[in-house]
Amino acid sequence: MWRKASVAALLALAVGYFYHGCPDLPENILQYISLPNLPTPSQSLSSQSSLEQVISTAWEALITLPTRQWSKVAVGVNACVDVVVSGVGLLQALAIDPGTGLDHEVLHSKEDLKETFIHYMGRGAAAERFFSDKEVFQRIARAAAEYPGAKLYVGGNAALIGQKLATYPDLMVLLCGPVGPKLHELLDEQIVVPPESLQETDEFHLILEYKAGEQWGSTRAPQANRFIFSHDVSNGEMSSLEAFVASLEEFQPELVVLSGLHMMEGQGRELWEERLKEAVAAISDIRRDVPIHLELASMTDKDYMNSIMQEVLPIVSSIGLNEQELLFLSQAGEGPHADVPAWKGIPDVGRVSDILLWVLEQHGRSDASSEADLTRIHFHTLAYHILATVEGHWANQAAAVMAGARVASSQACGVQVVDVSKVELKAPQEFYSSYIEPRERLSLNPAEPVTVWRRGNVTFHLTPVLVCKQPLRTVGLGDAISAEGLVYSELKTQQPF
């Protein structure tokens, strides 16, 4: 009897070895072997199509709302109307010829617009710029609004985050920012807008979108993305910030979401230096027991970014940002991998992990003796997301990072739920916890699609994104990701500071 058992065991091991080494083992061989629960090739995780299905199914099973959910969230302060249009189509309609790319921190002319658009289109990277000439901007805006296929949407990080939060019926949302008549019409009726936020005219932002593989002259976009520009003084000066903070006393939110700091960059150093001090004073007036999430966006002035890092990051609880913004943070503060000029392809997980840890150690509360409030960073890039949190401050972060990735997959494709036929897995399936020693080799398990590791007092949660093959709209994805991640996040009860 024991001989038969031994032979069966060896046979099972052999089949397992060949099956996992050669997942395309013919099914007709397997049918002659009676082994319980042996997966068939159709269930194998090795085929690309099944990987997406396994991850999507796992998300649905594992994403659960936290025990204690937010009931009131206040969001401010940048809001506008987005005019979304084909970037190449609009520039051609403006009789602008293609050429070479060159980055400009501030756009002063149509030539600056063309060069900066080409610079970022060639990299497939998102960017946002201020257009200094009001009259020229208004002419371009009129042409954009009249361009065939142009669409008007809610715009501005705060308004977009507010819109996403308002999809949860039990969540009351206060939005403070420059809200004109068109924007007010577009906003979800569940959103409360204080009277001091209403203004007679709207602020318009132009979003020039391009598709993966789209070509203009010699420039080809490696992936779909968008370039944003505006002449927006209300948002540029964060003129609604004090009114926003003043409205919190009556509204009594459980969470505050702040965005729009990047808009001040285009106003010039003299203005942003003074206004940033006032912003820090206003943010400091918010009750210490109310967590504040800061949504960052594209910036080019290292001094300005460094000022935000030194003065603002320590007084907020959480930040959301993408790969360009994370690398620029490190470059501005001379942090890890600051010598990397730009990411090439999918950002290396180890490098990203190093920078996230550095931000939390230098400007956060990774040390219990620190007086900083920052304990959470939600990082998102096209192929994967990472939530880095200081131990003991946040709960339900595995669900939160998966929820952010799920909404990125569905919203980019313009569907309510993930359609596995329209998405593809681009995340690395093996990676390292750091780019420098000591480091841990990690892997992605599609059936449990959150990889977790710790470095000191910081825990990292990584999940892949199922990337939309033909995205319908890329604008606002980062805001939707951060909003969804916050909805699924739970702040642990802390002792008084």
Side-chain angles (χ1 to χ4, degrees):
M1 181 66 71
W2 66 268
R3 286 182 181 177
K4 289 183 179 179
S6 298
V7 169
L10 286 170
L11 184 59
L13 283 171
V15 170
Y17 174 81
F18 282 113
Y19 176 70
H20 289 291
C22 310
D24 296 321
L25 192 68
E27 199 164 358
N28 60 357
I29 293 177
L30 295 176
Q31 69 186 9
Y32 293 105
I33 305 167
S34 178
L35 293 174
N37 301 322
L38 189 69
T40 65
S42 62
Q43 296 170 305
S44 169
L45 300 186
S46 63
S47 74
Q48 199 66 12
S49 60
S50 69
L51 281 175
E52 285 84 6
Q53 183 62 66
V54 170
I55 290 169
S56 179
T57 303
W59 280 348
E60 295 309 315
L62 297 171
I63 297 173
T64 54
L65 285 162
T67 307
R68 289 187 301 116
Q69 299 171 42
W70 317 108
S71 61
K72 297 169 83 174
V73 180
V75 187
V77 292
N78 61 327
C80 64
V81 175
D82 280 345
V83 182
V84 183
V85 66
S86 160
V88 173
L90 176 63
L91 294 176
Q92 287 175 333
L94 293 168
I96 297 173
D97 294 323
T100 55
L102 180 65
D103 195 9
H104 295 272
E105 292 188 6
V106 177
L107 310 180
H108 301 290
S109 65
K110 289 195 287 186
E111 186 70 14
D112 287 355
L113 169 62
K114 175 191 78 172
E115 291 176 347
T116 311
F117 174 78
I118 288 172
H119 174 84
Y120 285 98
M121 179 183 174
R123 289 162 173 75
E128 188 164 347
R129 293 292 180 269
F130 180 77
F131 200 103
S132 64
D133 191 316
K134 182 179 180 180
E135 290 184 8
V136 174
F137 175 79
Q138 287 178 338
R139 286 200 295 271
I140 297 172
R142 278 195 295 272
E146 294 167 4
Y147 187 82
K151 294 174 183 173
L152 273 60
Y153 295 102
V154 169
N157 307 86
L160 285 163
I161 290 171
Q163 283 284 87
K164 187 63 188 173
L165 294 173
T167 62
Y168 290 85
D170 297 330
L171 187 54
M172 187 181 293
V173 181
L174 173 84
L175 172 66
C176 199
V179 178
K182 186 63 184 176
L183 178 57
H184 205 205
E185 177 190 317
L186 292 169
L187 285 173
D188 190 292
E189 59 184 23
Q190 191 175 316
I191 294 175
V192 178
V193 180
E196 53 269 32
S197 284
L198 298 173
Q199 58 182 45
E200 293 181 4
T201 57
D202 285 284
E203 298 287 357
F204 288 93
H205 288 208
L206 304 190
I207 289 96
L208 309 190
E209 291 197 319
Y210 49 85
K211 297 174 183 176
E214 188 170 358
Q215 187 150 355
W216 191 36
S218 60
T219 304
R220 181 183 291 273
Q223 62 190 37
N225 222 315
R226 78 275 189 253
F227 179 79
I228 305 173
F229 69 104
S230 65
H231 178 87
D232 183 344
V233 177
S234 294
N235 286 305
E237 294 177 352
M238 290 189 80
S239 57
S240 301
L241 181 59
E242 283 77 7
F244 176 53
V245 174
S247 68
L248 301 182
E249 190 171 344
E250 182 182 346
F251 186 68
Q252 292 289 304
E254 297 162 347
L255 171 69
V256 169
V257 181
L258 180 66
S259 62
L261 284 173
H262 64 287
M263 296 292 298
M264 292 202 290
E265 182 183 54
Q267 303 297 309
R269 186 183 187 108
E270 191 175 330
L271 185 143
W272 68 246
E273 269 189 342
E274 185 61 33
R275 192 70 183 109
L276 192 61
K277 289 176 187 174
E278 295 168 354
V280 168
I283 296 166
S284 300
D285 285 341
I286 298 171
R287 287 194 352 248
R288 288 292 299 274
D289 61 333
V290 178
I292 303 168
H293 172 85
L294 173 67
E295 191 68 15
L296 292 173
S298 176
M299 285 179 265
T300 59
D301 186 325
K302 285 185 179 179
D303 290 340
Y304 183 52
M305 178 60 101
N306 200 43
S307 294
I308 289 173
M309 194 160 36
Q310 300 291 338
E311 299 172 41
V312 183
L313 295 199
I315 62 172
V316 300
S317 315
S318 167
I319 60 173
L321 76 180
N322 68 17
E323 72 275 15
Q324 276 99 25
E325 292 142 21
L326 183 73
L327 183 58
F328 192 60
L329 259 181
S330 192
Q331 291 168 342
E334 298 180 351
H337 315 299
D339 57 335
V340 175
W343 301 111
K344 291 182 180 177
I346 297 168
D348 176 75
V349 174
R351 281 192 169 107
V352 168
S353 175
D354 292 340
I355 302 173
L356 291 172
L357 181 66
W358 169 76
V359 173
L360 287 169
E361 287 182 340
Q362 295 297 312
H363 308 286
R365 200 173 183 173
S366 66
D367 187 333
S369 63
S370 170
E371 293 184 0
D373 293 337
L374 182 64
T375 52
R376 177 183 184 272
I377 303 177
H378 192 164
F379 167 83
H380 52 89
T381 187
L382 182 72
Y384 64 87
H385 296 173
I386 295 176
L387 256 172
T389 51
V390 176
E391 197 66 29
H393 291 268
W394 295 87
N396 210 44
Q397 294 306 279
V401 74
M402 287 188 285
R406 181 176 64 179
V407 80
S409 300
S410 59
Q411 188 164 308
C413 285
V415 292
Q416 292 297 312
V417 294
V418 177
D419 182 342
V420 293
S421 69
K422 296 181 178 179
V423 296
E424 59 185 329
L425 181 67
K426 289 190 174 183
Q429 294 185 49
E430 288 198 339
F431 45 88
Y432 289 97
S433 61
S434 170
Y435 192 75
I436 49 179
E437 297 295 344
R439 62 184 188 169
E440 182 184 356
R441 187 168 183 168
L442 302 162
S443 60
L444 173 68
N445 176 6
E448 295 178 10
V450 177
T451 306
V452 183
W453 68 97
R454 288 190 64 176
R455 298 179 66 181
N457 201 25
V458 177
T459 303
F460 297 81
H461 291 83
L462 177 148
T463 196
V465 175
L466 299 179
V467 181
C468 188
K469 295 174 188 174
Q470 295 181 314
L472 298 178
R473 188 164 179 252
T474 59
V475 176
L477 269 187
D479 303 308
I481 290 162
S482 287
E484 198 81 345
L486 287 167
V487 166
Y488 283 84
S489 290
E490 181 177 343
L491 187 71
K492 290 186 178 180
T493 304
Q494 298 295 315
Q495 296 299 315
F497 290 102

